[in-house]
Amino acid sequence: MTRRRTMAATLVTLAAVTLSLYGIVHTDSHVINTSMCSNTILDTEDQPNGSYELVYFKRDCGPDEGANYQVSILRNGAKLGNEPGNLFISDNKFGANWLDSSTVTLTGHPDDKYKRKKSYKGIHIMYP
């Protein structure tokens, strides 16, 4: 019976170590993949009579994740960091424009596989 307890304890310890190593490798891999991403601004448009800017860009995270198209709303003069879009993300190209100072319209054939917000800081987002 002592041998069974020892074997069970060994298996539990082995499982715990395996899960810990998986967590470390998975976390490091995610950090590496995120740091490998780059954003290329394709278009910007100032908010009519406002303090925001619409930024349409392509984000490429390398061969494993590929590139997609994104849009963010930023304060005028703010720099687009190496982060995903805060409004919409699509594998397909699309257009993004201000309809008026409180509405952004997306055009084309965007998909909503990743992110699709209906509003952002009081700005309404219209989709096709």
Side-chain angles (χ1 to χ4, degrees):
M1 201 142 153
T2 305
R3 186 173 183 175
R4 284 187 183 177
R5 285 185 188 164
T6 303
M7 182 64 108
T10 301
L11 288 174
V12 168
T13 302
L14 183 59
V17 168
T18 301
L19 287 172
S20 295
L21 287 173
Y22 172 79
I24 291 168
V25 169
H26 179 71
T27 301
D28 286 347
S29 172
H30 177 70
V31 170
I32 290 168
N33 286 343
T34 300
S35 67
M36 288 175 43
C37 295
S38 64
N39 294 337
T40 302
I41 295 175
L42 302 174
D43 194 18
T44 62
E45 185 178 346
D46 289 336
Q47 179 185 29
N49 304 315
S51 57
Y52 291 104
E53 179 179 35
L54 193 61
V55 180
Y56 176 61
F57 60 99
K58 183 176 182 180
R59 183 167 175 83
D60 191 343
C61 292
D64 290 340
E65 295 186 33
N68 52 42
Y69 300 89
Q70 307 191 15
V71 67
S72 284
I73 294 178
L74 305 175
R75 286 237 174 247
N76 281 342
K79 299 288 183 196
L80 178 66
N82 189 16
E83 297 179 12
N86 63 18
L87 193 65
F88 185 75
I89 301 172
S90 175
D91 281 333
N92 301 321
K93 288 184 178 181
F94 60 93
N97 300 92
W98 292 99
L99 180 63
D100 56 41
S101 63
S102 62
T103 309
V104 168
T105 60
L106 272 65
T107 57
H109 299 286
D111 60 34
D112 59 350
K113 183 176 175 180
Y114 304 105
K115 179 184 264 184
R116 181 184 187 128
K117 290 204 173 179
K118 294 180 181 179
S119 66
Y120 183 80
K121 298 192 178 199
I123 299 166
H124 179 69
I125 315 305
M126 291 177 46
Y127 295 92

